[in-house]
Amino acid sequence: MADSSWPGEQLIVAAQRGDVDSIAAVVSGSHPNVRRFARSLCATPEDAEDAAQEALIILYRKIGMLRASGALASWMFRIVRNECLRRARTMRADAPLPDAAVRSAEDVVLQRIEAGKVAAAIAALPDEQRRVLIMRDIQGYSGRMAAEALGLSTAAMKSRLHRARTAVQQSLRAPSESAPGDTHEDNDPSRRP
């Protein structure tokens, strides 16, 4: 997948050092992935475009702050996630809407908050698990391509991916299982024998 590739490490390092041509190339090379992140996290196509543009501006201005050249994808994912969440929060603060529109906006905000929880769970993963999860589940790399790009055997890549997916699922499940007021069918007195 040509548009699933992030700029190479040498280009990123040159951009971090302030080389203007390299910065432009990193921003341009990151654009397709940043747009894909934004489309998957933002409530509307317009918000996705705005969030992607904002993320690319931040990348252009602050590439020197990137700690490790291999962390570009996760850094950009966090920036896009934060921008989409900010836009979802401001959606509620806009002019009053009819009841149906308010419910719809609330649904969208709740969906975006859930996406934010997923993004936070991914960001909390150890680097080696986060990288394989992003490559496979977000960027759409095939198993073979991800394994080759990470310098792993296919079995090692699958093992890391499984651990990453399990950790994200457990992270998402943990708070909701203990939430007071949860209603499960087996707790419903009308269903007891």
Side-chain angles (χ1 to χ4, degrees), residues 107-169:
D107 290 344
V108 169
V109 169
L110 289 173
Q111 289 171 349
R112 294 305 122 214
I113 289 170
E114 189 63 29
K117 289 178 184 176
V118 172
I122 292 170
L125 291 170
D127 185 54
E128 68 276 357
Q129 291 180 17
R130 183 175 53 252
R131 288 174 49 197
V132 74
L133 183 80
I134 288 172
M135 290 180 82
R136 289 286 285 130
D137 293 350
I138 296 171
Q139 296 175 335
Y141 277 75
S142 70
R144 186 177 53 80
M145 286 175 61
E148 287 175 7
L150 295 170
L152 300 171
S153 68
T154 302
M157 183 278 305
K158 286 180 178 180
S159 176
R160 285 185 186 179
L161 180 60
H162 175 72
R163 286 194 306 268
R165 287 174 175 166
T166 300
V168 168
Q169 289 171 350

Side-chain angles (χ1 to χ4, degrees), residues 59-131:
L59 174 61
Y60 182 80
R61 290 180 178 162
K62 299 186 178 184
I63 184 72
M65 295 176 65
L66 180 63
R67 289 188 189 126
S69 59
L72 179 63
S74 59
W75 187 49
M76 294 309 299
F77 186 80
R78 283 192 305 272
I79 291 170
V80 169
R81 176 200 67 201
N82 291 342
E83 186 62 21
C84 289
L85 287 172
R86 186 187 69 74
R87 290 174 182 282
R89 283 191 297 268
T90 59
M91 182 188 314
R92 258 308 273 218
D94 288 344
L97 300 170
D99 288 345
V102 170
R103 280 193 300 274
S104 175
E106 287 172 355
D107 290 344
V108 169
V109 169
L110 289 173
Q111 289 171 349
R112 294 305 122 214
I113 289 170
E114 189 63 29
K117 289 178 184 176
V118 172
I122 292 170
L125 291 170
D127 185 54
E128 68 276 357
Q129 291 180 17
R130 183 175 53 252
R131 288 174 49 197

